[in-house]
Amino acid sequence: MASIFNIQILIFFFLLIIFSILRPTQQQQQHPLDPLTPSELNLVQTILTHAYPTSNNNLTFQYVGLDDPDKPTLLSWLSSHSTTKIPQRRAFIIARINHQTHELIVDLSNHSIISNQIYKGHGFPLLTFDEQIAANALTLAYAPFVASVSKRGLKINEVVCGSFAVGWYGETRNNKRVVKVTCFYLDGTVNMYMRPLEGVTVTVDLEEMKIIGFWDRLTVPMPKAEGTDYRESEQKPPFLPPLKKITVVQPDGPSFMIDGHRVRWANWDFHLSFDMRAGPIISLASIYDLEKQIFRPVLYKGFVSELFVPYMDLDEEWYYRTFFDAGEYGFGLCAVSLEPMRDCPENAVFMDAYVVGQNGKPVKMSQIFCIFERHAGDIMWRHTETAIPRTIVREARPEVSLVVRMVSTVGNYDYIIDWEFKQSGSIIATVGLTGLLEVRGSKYTHKDQIEEEVYGTLLAQNTIGVNHDHFLIYHLDLDVDGDSNSFVKSNLKTTQVPDHGSPRKSYWRVVSETAKTESDAKIKLGSKATELLVVNPNKMTKMGNHVGYRLIPKSGAGSLLSDDDYSQIRAAFTKYNVWVTPYNKSEKWAGGLFVDQSRGDDTLATWSQRNREIENKDIVVWYTLGFHHAPYQEDFPLMPTLSSSFELRPANFFESNPVLKVKPPQDVMRLNCSILKVV
Amino acid sequence: MASIFNIQILIFFFLLIIFSILRPTQQQQQHPLDPLTPSELNLVQTILTHAYPTSNNNLTFQYVGLDDPDKPTLLSWLSSHSTTKIPQRRAFIIARINHQTHELIVDLSNHSIISNQIYKGHGFPLLTFDEQIAANALTLAYAPFVASVSKRGLKINEVVCGSFAVGWYGETRNNKRVVKVTCFYLDGTVNMYMRPLEGVTVTVDLEEMKIIGFWDRLTVPMPKAEGTDYRESEQKPPFLPPLKKITVVQPDGPSFMIDGHRVRWANWDFHLSFDMRAGPIISLASIYDLEKQIFRPVLYKGFVSELFVPYMDLDEEWYYRTFFDAGEYGFGLCAVSLEPMRDCPENAVFMDAYVVGQNGKPVKMSQIFCIFERHAGDIMWRHTETAIPRTIVREARPEVSLVVRMVSTVGNYDYIIDWEFKQSGSIIATVGLTGLLEVRGSKYTHKDQIEEEVYGTLLAQNTIGVNHDHFLIYHLDLDVDGDSNSFVKSNLKTTQVPDHGSPRKSYWRVVSETAKTESDAKIKLGSKATELLVVNPNKMTKMGNHVGYRLIPKSGAGSLLSDDDYSQIRAAFTKYNVWVTPYNKSEKWAGGLFVDQSRGDDTLATWSQRNREIENKDIVVWYTLGFHHAPYQEDFPLMPTLSSSFELRPANFFESNPVLKVKPPQDVMRLNCSILKVV
């Protein structure tokens, strides 16, 4: 009796396991753009380790991600209303195999490597966390380094190190794959970035995993720990007066539906994916047109293609800090778990993602995206009409939008990446900068002492906040009502009026230029009043206007480095704020596929030298959202968020205001709330 | 018994009346910057009608507002911790008396006119609603106009008119005080702005209140009513899918305190006033410094000084449309009641205001301001630290800010004016544009038919959205930690590195220039990377940095009209985005005190020609937030809000991040809510 019972339990558990294995595929159909699942990642790992057994091969996975189906294949699948078999799933892998960079494609259906190429050009793949950790550990155990720490009267067990990409500064020989390790000091704070171990640099060869360089060049006082910790537990009174509780409530739950990675909300439908390198990828965003009663495509794909963060300090320990946060560190790899109620509001839902470790095994990253409806108190549209006798008209609609958020913490800095969708058709991409500055240790304790160039602001005693920039370049593959689009610059041009032609002497008019080739579409913002449009020259409104979307930039910051500067050559995409290219599946990464120590031979700027035709083609817009950052004392020890954004806004896309027919919310919604749980 | 009872009732009511009269003064002490109360407005009216009895004088009140105490007087009162008697209350009145413009000052304590000057210069005061209504009524009863309406097959009782300021186009003789009346058509819509009675213009002499000009120059088809009404009741299915209920809840009420017109919230303390011309005025904004344990001044006064809205159409009916919405129409006078739950979120509180009618009697305007805490889901600051062995640090603080909102509906357009205060010390001024375009009737029904200049976009059949601009100039009397301030341009300058000086070839450094005189501070944004700072050269942080605030513009749009154009001469303040002047009590209105038909002799540009010293002085920053508006079909028949903003952000004002010591919200706040009432 007992044994039968045990067998029943075993059968039960067996079925349970089978069920839980099968469940994911039963629950939802996979979308061709879904990121690789843990089992797909495991499969890739198995296939590669089978091909290159680690017993006699040195194999590390630097990048694993979905190899997107070709655009025509995907569009054809979509046009079949997703009823046909999904296009072949493939993985794209960048691996270091026996000290060479391989680009591989694995077919996930027939479990085979269908492409395997050794990359011989300049530049190296993403750094893995594992190799950074190993390089840091090497440094901490390195006797000369330990001596340097000791010489300064510091405790080695309070030192934490970071591995920094070294850039390229004109070397002509083939470089080794190395990082520079630079270290920081805890000892009474978790904010070690405010306590740099200035003057000591260790170079680590990542392939040999050994130290190949060590410099202890100068000693400056260690900035003090006091006042640097940002944890609540470490703060002493007085505190700012606490605010009364405030929360957003959706008694009937959210208005969006998430089906796998497909998000539907209000009149929007899009796919949200995750990539180790790019972070969030918005694909196939289309909006329902009430009048035409169809979904109309807007954005085939949008993501942060690269981040360039050059520091403006020429000293030995600093000159090379010209980081490419996506191509060197992985903007997605550096994503962090979002904290409910703090990183995202009460009504947010969260989504996990998977990356791979250096060994190729999937690693779950929890709560990497949050998705929520934003009810900020803004007005979607309104009007009060008082001019009509015996009538007062007042109509107003509150704005509610949908936000997709990820935070990537690339070492010291936290980048808040928001994609916001409005019912009016606007997509707003916002970047918030917060986290910790990269500061330089210094002997100075007061500005009056400073007579040399210190490359920044004295933020606290012995602490210089070094000047730098953040340039985020967005890949925006707009498909406005179809994939054949043109880029139009609508210049607002002052026109003189001939004498006696009118009492006016001038006015402006819109002079539109359609960019024929790539060189026509390179734009430095700021000098001219220009509206930037992507139009579909094959589709018109009833009035005869080409349907379009506008790019409304809110920042026109561009790189201030000289064109011949090595890091500027690598980040040549920052020379213009806007570029337009014809769609090319391989042109994803504005700084190149292999960015670590790249030499600028595979960038948006080099691709564009071909000056290809872009009129009435499938085009991609590249926009750089830039920040110049000269630090202020308020940024110490942790900076309050500084935001900027751009808007993609329909421009003759609809026949008329698409949110006129939004029902106002039910009137006088008052909630009687009791607090269930306050921890 | 019955009679005694009646006497008791009478006594009760008498006491009740006395009590209600006394109550306002008992409840709260008046602040010297409070707007004039109804009883003060009544007093002004009584004093002026006593001086100029309307039996034998033609007296109209064009503007009545507080005559601010002199700044030294007010600062001295403040430094006494507001314990001394408040400075003398005075009213400033602009009246038309027997067809002359008078500037009067009334002392409200001794009930006397202490100044009465006749203005003989160019320009006229604000238009009153009463005279606009009268001019419109005259037009509707004017036989030739009625005939024009009839000739077009339209019904006179469906016509609604508006009075338009006429501008100045180089006339050298003294102009009459006139408006041009232009009309619109209802007949099946409340959105008459989409149905202009194109081609008919009536000129009305406001002083004689008679028609002095009538033109019926051309006939174009009346755009149809269909598709123009924006009222919910008039919409036909299909509708956009309704969103589920979403609301913001503060179970313990708001965190701000409003005492009369003084608002205290978190670390902020400011005064909110209302002015017929400017709308909201933020005064005496100061922020509590946790470290110094004092409130430190930031903004002595901030308000929208003028709005310039030039249309870009040269035709007879349009060339003169170059409006100054504050100086001609009264940006405060055009404020509209805000609708709870739609114009402002659920947690908003509202404030009323008073204006005067043409007869000088106070008119209550209900719910003209709303004040609410904004919980938009943004992150105030955050960091995740993963580099420390055996420790994961994650600290994040959600952003909650305070918003003061007013909406001014100047005829067709609705301007949403937000002043947002952040605990980090930032003040963000945002302008949202919504409401109705000013469109031109046209014979065209498709773009292909258009071969002439039409000055805009064909939005719907027979409807051209005319190109125009909106320039809002803010008067920002910053008093950064005291009233002696300097304006600093921190230019980010590319610096070439000599060969072999560093592996780098370039970097940028901050080259700061302190503006000595007004001409140093005129700035056209866009061409250079410059940080704009107001610093207190007499106050330093411990590190030796001058305490300051930055102005961070998000729009650099400036006027595109030629300098010699008449309306540009009147709006010469739009030539630069930024100006700085020494404080001068009389320099409030960037387009001049008398803007209607002004000739540009009293503008920010003329004041600045004196090129006064502005270093280490009490200075005022003027910033123009501009929008170029080339309409798109989505703006028809009512435009979704388009926003822009600027930020005043502390820059070495605090010793360190002032929101580090914000307590995180109580964790896991879950509310059990039941809906009390859904109407």
Side-chain angles (χ1 to χ4, degrees):
Chain A
M1 193 59 177
S3 68
I4 290 169
F5 184 60
N6 284 345
I7 288 165
Q8 284 178 328
I9 288 176
L10 283 173
I11 291 169
F12 172 73
F13 276 110
F14 179 72
L15 289 173
L16 196 72
I17 289 161
I18 292 292
F19 180 72
S20 64
I21 290 167
L22 292 175
R23 206 174 42 151
T25 49
Q26 286 175 342
Q27 251 188 342
Q28 73 221 14
Q29 209 211 323
Q30 199 172 30
H31 189 285
L33 297 179
D34 285 352
L36 299 180
T37 61
S39 58
E40 287 175 326
L41 293 168
N42 273 319
L43 182 59
V44 167
Q45 201 265 352
T46 305
I47 292 167
L48 258 73
T49 48
H50 189 259
Y52 298 98
T54 50
S55 53
N56 55 351
N57 290 279
N58 189 326
L59 167 66
T60 59
F61 292 79
Q62 313 289 134
Y63 170 86
V64 180
L66 178 73
D67 182 39
D68 286 18
D70 294 332
K71 195 163 170 180
T73 309
L74 189 71
L75 291 177
S76 142
W77 175 79
L78 277 176
S79 67
S80 77
H81 302 282
S82 320
T83 51
T84 51
K85 192 163 170 294
I86 73 163
Q88 199 180 36
R89 295 273 293 172
R90 290 189 306 246
F92 178 65
I93 303 104
I94 299 175
R96 289 286 287 179
I97 304 175
N98 302 325
H99 308 297
Q100 288 186 306
T101 298
H102 286 241
E103 295 176 57
L104 302 112
I105 296 174
V106 165
D107 185 322
L108 294 162
S109 47
N110 64 18
H111 301 196
S112 64
I113 298 172
I114 57 176
S115 172
N116 182 358
Q117 297 193 317
I118 296 175
Y119 175 74
K120 299 277 193 187
H122 296 300
F124 299 112
L126 293 191
L127 301 170
T128 69
F129 278 160
D130 298 306
E131 61 199 7
Q132 293 177 61
I133 291 165
N136 300 341
L138 267 186
T139 299
L140 287 169
Y142 187 61
F145 179 82
V146 174
S148 285
V149 169
S150 173
K151 189 180 80 181
R152 286 167 171 79
L154 305 175
K155 294 167 263 185
I156 189 71
N157 58 347
E158 297 287 340
V159 176
V160 171
C161 297
S163 291
F164 288 26
V166 298
W168 171 68
Y169 290 90
E171 305 87 348
T172 48
R173 60 178 162 71
N174 279 336
N175 288 4
K176 289 187 168 179
R177 203 163 78 87
V178 298
V179 288
K180 287 190 179 172
V181 176
T182 187
C183 302
F184 306 92
Y185 202 52
L186 294 164
D187 199 25
T189 184
V190 293
N191 191 351
M192 70 272 191
Y193 290 107
M194 296 306 112
R195 308 194 77 193
L197 190 73
E198 202 65 50
V200 184
T201 309
V202 174
T203 305
V204 176
D205 180 328
L206 295 177
E207 294 298 320
E208 305 297 328
M209 199 46 79
K210 69 172 191 194
I211 291 173
I212 59 166
F214 173 80
W215 294 265
D216 184 350
R217 203 180 63 90
L218 56 89
T219 303
V220 295
M222 176 56 69
K224 57 186 180 192
E226 192 194 333
T228 63
D229 208 310
Y230 47 86
R231 285 173 300 177
E232 186 200 354
S233 57
E234 299 304 306
Q235 305 308 314
K236 294 182 189 68
F239 290 94
L240 278 173
L243 298 181
K244 290 182 181 162
K245 286 185 284 292
I246 185 163
T247 187
V248 62
V249 174
Q250 293 188 281
D252 305 324
S255 297
F256 52 83
M257 276 178 23
I258 302 179
D259 176 12
H261 290 267
R262 185 174 171 187
V263 181
R264 272 171 281 196
W265 171 80
N267 44 356
W268 280 101
D269 186 339
F270 62 91
H271 185 275
L272 168 64
S273 186
F274 173 86
D275 180 79
M276 273 175 69
R277 180 159 179 173
I281 299 179
I282 304 292
S283 299
L284 303 176
S286 62
I287 187 163
Y288 189 73
D289 185 321
L290 262 193
E291 194 176 315
K292 296 193 165 61
Q293 306 223 20
I294 47 166
F295 275 92
R296 297 170 64 198
V298 175
L299 183 67
Y300 181 78
K301 189 170 287 199
F303 60 93
V304 175
S305 169
E306 192 51 272
L307 290 89
F308 178 48
V309 188
Y311 284 79
M312 297 299 144
D313 188 324
L314 301 183
D315 277 4
E316 188 58 33
E317 291 76 19
W318 279 83
Y319 77 87
Y320 65 88
R321 303 195 192 186
T322 51
F323 303 118
F324 290 72
D325 285 344
E328 291 171 346
Y329 292 96
F331 201 52
L333 191 60
C334 294
V336 294
S337 288
L338 297 168
E339 188 169 1
M341 320 289 181
R342 298 190 187 182
D343 282 320
C344 308
E346 300 73 15
N347 57 333
V349 301
F350 295 84
M351 205 185 265
D352 304 331
Y354 292 85
V355 294
V356 294
Q358 183 171 295
N359 60 6
K361 288 280 183 192
V363 177
K364 181 174 176 178
M365 301 173 77
S366 300
Q367 307 202 147
I368 233 63
F369 292 142
C370 73
I371 300 165
F372 62 91
E373 286 167 274
R374 188 167 189 265
H375 173 57
D378 295 329
I379 302 174
M380 176 192 268
W381 58 259
R382 79 170 318 287
H383 184 63
T384 299
E385 187 55 67
T386 55
I388 304 171
R390 295 169 303 280
T391 310
I392 295 247
V393 178
R394 184 174 61 184
E395 288 281 333
R397 300 289 180 277
E399 184 80 79
V400 177
S401 59
L402 184 78
V403 176
V404 173
R405 174 170 295 166
M406 187 192 86
V407 172
S408 184
T409 302
V410 187
N412 51 313
Y413 256 106
D414 295 61
Y415 294 91
I416 304 161
I417 301 295
D418 283 358
W419 286 92
E420 182 180 2
F421 294 82
K422 291 193 174 188
Q423 295 175 78
S424 61
S426 283
I427 301 175
I428 296 166
T430 302
V431 175
L433 301 179
T434 176
L436 312 169
L437 290 176
E438 212 164 295
V439 306
R440 173 192 168 87
S442 157
K443 64 185 176 191
Y444 300 114
T445 55
H446 193 280
K447 196 183 171 188
D448 286 353
Q449 302 157 355
I450 305 175
E451 290 179 349
E452 57 172 345
E453 174 71 87
V454 294
Y455 309 111
T457 307
L458 188 67
L459 299 177
Q461 287 186 19
N462 308 117
T463 310
I464 303 277
V466 178
N467 296 331
H468 60 282
D469 302 302
H470 302 264
F471 298 111
L472 291 94
I473 183 162
Y474 282 78
H475 171 111
L476 301 167
D477 182 358
L478 288 154
D479 278 6
V480 176
D481 221 8
D483 56 3
S484 288
N485 287 178
S486 294
F487 182 70
V488 175
K489 292 184 277 186
S490 284
N491 300 304
L492 311 189
K493 284 217 170 145
T494 302
T495 307
Q496 302 296 325
V497 180
D499 275 356
H500 314 296
S502 155
R504 291 275 285 271
K505 289 180 186 288
S506 65
Y507 71 110
W508 58 256
R509 62 203 177 93
V510 179
V511 181
S512 293
E513 280 175 72
T514 300
K516 308 278 182 209
T517 64
E518 292 177 276
S519 66
D520 297 338
K522 295 177 189 169
I523 295 172
K524 281 191 191 182
L525 294 171
S527 51
K528 286 208 288 183
T530 300
E531 312 220 327
L532 309 174
L533 294 135
V534 173
V535 302
N536 186 326
N538 316 298
K539 297 267 176 81
M540 280 192 288
T541 61
K542 288 177 195 160
M543 290 304 106
N545 297 304
H546 288 305
V547 305
Y549 254 74
R550 283 167 75 190
L551 166 67
I552 308 179
K554 304 245 162 120
S555 159
S559 177
L560 300 173
L561 295 175
S562 63
D563 288 350
D564 64 344
D565 209 346
Y566 298 108
S567 58
Q568 183 60 30
I569 292 168
R570 301 173 64 216
F573 59 84
T574 59
K575 184 160 171 70
Y576 298 95
N577 301 96
V578 178
W579 309 67
V580 179
T581 57
Y583 173 81
N584 179 330
K585 191 185 169 189
S586 75
E587 295 177 4
K588 272 187 174 177
W589 311 109
L593 180 58
F594 298 103
V595 172
D596 178 33
Q597 300 187 50
S598 67
R599 300 189 178 182
D601 44 29
D602 173 31
T603 74
L604 174 53
T606 56
W607 312 333
S608 271
Q609 277 170 2
R610 281 173 281 169
N611 199 20
R612 292 161 291 185
E613 289 188 0
I614 54 171
E615 189 178 4
N616 203 5
K617 303 267 184 210
D618 187 1
I619 57 176
V620 177
V621 175
W622 305 78
Y623 169 66
T624 295
L625 203 171
F627 300 81
H628 300 301
H629 192 175
Y632 294 96
Q633 285 186 235
E634 286 78 4
D635 299 337
F636 178 89
L638 181 152
M639 70 177 286
T641 305
L642 180 70
S643 292
S644 193
S645 63
F646 65 89
E647 179 173 354
L648 298 170
R649 189 176 170 102
N652 300 329
F653 184 83
F654 294 104
E655 294 290 339
S656 61
N657 179 340
V659 281
L660 200 71
K661 291 188 177 185
V662 165
K663 288 268 189 185
Q666 291 166 299
D667 273 358
V668 198
M669 187 175 76
R670 297 235 177 265
L671 295 168
N672 180 27
C673 297
S674 58
I675 295 162
L676 276 186
K677 188 182 168 195
V678 178
V679 179
Chain B
M1 192 61 178
S3 67
I4 289 168
F5 184 61
N6 284 345
I7 286 164
Q8 285 176 327
I9 288 177
L10 282 173
I11 291 169
F12 172 73
F13 276 111
F14 178 70
L15 290 172
L16 195 73
I17 289 160
I18 292 294
F19 179 73
S20 63
I21 288 167
L22 293 175
R23 207 176 40 154
T25 48
Q26 286 175 343
Q27 253 188 339
Q28 73 220 16
Q29 210 210 323
Q30 198 172 31
H31 189 284
L33 295 179
D34 285 352
L36 299 180
T37 62
S39 58
E40 287 174 327
L41 292 169
N42 272 318
L43 183 59
V44 167
Q45 200 264 354
T46 304
I47 291 167
L48 258 72
T49 49
H50 189 259
Y52 297 98
T54 49
S55 52
N56 55 351
N57 290 279
N58 188 325
L59 166 65
T60 57
F61 292 79
Q62 313 289 134
Y63 170 86
V64 180
L66 178 73
D67 182 38
D68 285 20
D70 293 333
K71 194 162 170 180
T73 310
L74 188 72
L75 291 177
S76 142
W77 175 79
L78 277 177
S79 67
S80 77
H81 301 285
S82 320
T83 52
T84 53
K85 193 164 167 295
I86 73 163
Q88 200 181 33
R89 294 273 292 173
R90 289 189 308 247
F92 178 65
I93 303 104
I94 299 175
R96 288 288 287 181
I97 305 177
N98 302 325
H99 308 297
Q100 289 186 304
T101 297
H102 286 241
E103 295 176 55
L104 301 113
I105 296 174
V106 165
D107 184 324
L108 293 163
S109 48
N110 65 16
H111 300 196
S112 64
I113 298 172
I114 58 175
S115 173
N116 182 357
Q117 296 191 320
I118 296 175
Y119 174 73
K120 300 278 193 187
H122 296 299
F124 298 111
L126 295 191
L127 301 170
T128 69
F129 277 161
D130 298 306
E131 61 199 9
Q132 292 177 62
I133 291 165
N136 300 343
L138 266 185
T139 299
L140 287 169
Y142 187 61
F145 179 81
V146 174
S148 285
V149 170
S150 173
K151 189 180 80 182
R152 286 168 171 79
L154 305 174
K155 292 168 263 182
I156 189 70
N157 59 345
E158 297 286 339
V159 176
V160 172
C161 296
S163 290
F164 286 29
V166 298
W168 171 67
Y169 289 90
E171 305 87 348
T172 49
R173 62 178 162 69
N174 280 335
N175 288 6
K176 289 187 170 179
R177 202 162 78 85
V178 297
V179 288
K180 287 189 178 172
V181 175
T182 188
C183 302
F184 306 93
Y185 201 52
L186 295 165
D187 199 26
T189 184
V190 294
N191 190 353
M192 71 275 187
Y193 290 107
M194 295 306 115
R195 308 193 79 193
L197 190 71
E198 203 64 48
V200 183
T201 309
V202 175
T203 306
V204 176
D205 179 330
L206 294 176
E207 294 297 321
E208 305 297 326
M209 199 46 79
K210 69 173 190 194
I211 290 172
I212 58 165
F214 173 80
W215 293 265
D216 184 349
R217 204 178 63 89
L218 55 90
T219 303
V220 295
M222 175 57 67
K224 57 187 179 191
E226 193 193 332
T228 63
D229 208 311
Y230 46 85
R231 287 173 298 177
E232 185 200 356
S233 57
E234 299 305 307
Q235 305 309 315
K236 292 180 192 70
F239 291 93
L240 279 171
L243 298 181
K244 288 179 182 165
K245 286 185 283 291
I246 184 164
T247 187
V248 61
V249 175
Q250 293 189 281
D252 305 325
S255 297
F256 52 82
M257 277 181 16
I258 302 179
D259 176 13
H261 287 82
R262 186 174 170 187
V263 181
R264 272 172 280 196
W265 172 79
N267 45 358
W268 280 101
D269 185 339
F270 63 90
H271 185 275
L272 169 63
S273 186
F274 172 84
D275 180 78
M276 273 175 67
R277 181 159 177 172
I281 299 179
I282 304 292
S283 299
L284 303 175
S286 62
I287 188 163
Y288 189 74
D289 185 322
L290 262 192
E291 192 175 317
K292 297 194 163 60
Q293 306 222 17
I294 49 166
F295 275 91
R296 296 170 65 198
V298 176
L299 184 66
Y300 181 76
K301 189 170 289 201
F303 60 92
V304 176
S305 170
E306 192 52 271
L307 291 89
F308 178 48
V309 188
Y311 284 79
M312 296 298 146
D313 187 325
L314 301 182
D315 276 2
E316 188 57 33
E317 290 77 19
W318 279 83
Y319 76 88
Y320 65 89
R321 302 192 193 188
T322 53
F323 303 116
F324 290 73
D325 285 343
E328 292 171 346
Y329 292 97
F331 201 52
L333 191 60
C334 295
V336 293
S337 288
L338 297 168
E339 189 168 1
M341 321 288 180
R342 298 191 187 180
D343 282 320
C344 309
E346 299 73 16
N347 59 332
V349 301
F350 295 83
M351 205 185 267
D352 303 331
Y354 292 86
V355 294
V356 293
Q358 183 170 295
N359 62 3
K361 288 281 184 191
V363 177
K364 182 175 175 177
M365 298 172 78
S366 298
Q367 307 202 147
I368 235 63
F369 292 142
C370 74
I371 300 165
F372 62 90
E373 287 168 273
R374 190 168 188 264
H375 173 58
D378 295 330
I379 301 174
M380 176 192 268
W381 59 259
R382 79 169 320 286
H383 184 64
T384 299
E385 188 55 67
T386 53
I388 304 171
R390 297 170 302 282
T391 309
I392 294 249
V393 178
R394 184 176 60 182
E395 288 281 335
R397 300 289 180 276
E399 184 80 79
V400 178
S401 59
L402 184 77
V403 175
V404 174
R405 174 171 296 165
M406 187 190 86
V407 172
S408 185
T409 302
V410 188
N412 50 312
Y413 255 107
D414 295 60
Y415 294 92
I416 304 162
I417 302 294
D418 282 359
W419 287 91
E420 181 179 5
F421 295 83
K422 290 193 173 188
Q423 295 176 78
S424 61
S426 283
I427 302 175
I428 296 167
T430 303
V431 174
L433 301 180
T434 175
L436 313 169
L437 291 176
E438 213 164 297
V439 306
R440 172 194 168 86
S442 157
K443 63 184 174 190
Y444 300 115
T445 55
H446 193 280
K447 197 183 173 190
D448 286 352
Q449 300 156 356
I450 305 175
E451 290 180 347
E452 57 172 347
E453 173 73 89
V454 294
Y455 309 113
T457 308
L458 188 67
L459 300 177
Q461 287 187 18
N462 309 118
T463 309
I464 303 279
V466 177
N467 296 330
H468 60 283
D469 301 305
H470 302 265
F471 298 110
L472 292 94
I473 183 162
Y474 282 77
H475 171 111
L476 301 168
D477 183 358
L478 288 154
D479 278 6
V480 176
D481 221 8
D483 55 2
S484 287
N485 286 179
S486 293
F487 181 71
V488 175
K489 289 183 281 186
S490 284
N491 299 305
L492 312 188
K493 285 215 170 148
T494 301
T495 307
Q496 301 296 325
V497 180
D499 274 357
H500 314 298
S502 157
R504 289 276 283 270
K505 292 182 185 285
S506 66
Y507 71 111
W508 58 255
R509 61 202 179 94
V510 179
V511 180
S512 293
E513 279 176 72
T514 300
K516 307 279 183 207
T517 63
E518 291 176 276
S519 66
D520 296 338
K522 294 177 189 170
I523 295 171
K524 281 190 192 184
L525 295 170
S527 50
K528 287 209 289 185
T530 301
E531 311 221 327
L532 309 174
L533 293 135
V534 173
V535 303
N536 187 326
N538 316 297
K539 298 267 176 80
M540 281 192 290
T541 61
K542 288 176 194 159
M543 289 305 106
N545 296 305
H546 289 304
V547 305
Y549 254 75
R550 282 167 76 191
L551 167 66
I552 308 180
K554 305 242 163 125
S555 157
S559 178
L560 300 174
L561 295 175
S562 63
D563 288 350
D564 63 344
D565 209 345
Y566 298 108
S567 57
Q568 183 60 31
I569 292 168
R570 300 172 66 213
F573 59 84
T574 58
K575 184 161 170 69
Y576 298 96
N577 301 96
V578 179
W579 308 67
V580 179
T581 57
Y583 173 81
N584 179 329
K585 191 187 167 188
S586 74
E587 295 177 3
K588 273 187 174 175
W589 310 109
L593 181 57
F594 299 102
V595 171
D596 177 32
Q597 297 187 50
S598 67
R599 299 186 180 184
D601 44 28
D602 174 32
T603 73
L604 173 54
T606 58
W607 313 333
S608 272
Q609 277 171 3
R610 282 173 282 173
N611 199 18
R612 292 161 291 185
E613 291 187 358
I614 54 171
E615 189 178 5
N616 203 3
K617 304 270 184 207
D618 187 0
I619 56 175
V620 177
V621 175
W622 306 79
Y623 169 65
T624 294
L625 202 173
F627 299 82
H628 299 300
H629 192 175
Y632 293 97
Q633 285 185 235
E634 285 79 3
D635 299 338
F636 178 89
L638 181 151
M639 68 178 284
T641 304
L642 181 70
S643 290
S644 194
S645 64
F646 65 89
E647 179 172 356
L648 297 170
R649 188 174 170 106
N652 300 329
F653 184 83
F654 295 103
E655 294 290 341
S656 61
N657 179 343
V659 283
L660 200 71
K661 291 188 178 185
V662 165
K663 288 267 191 188
Q666 291 166 298
D667 271 0
V668 197
M669 187 175 75
R670 296 234 179 264
L671 295 168
N672 180 25
C673 296
S674 57
I675 295 160
L676 277 186
K677 189 182 169 192
V678 178
V679 178

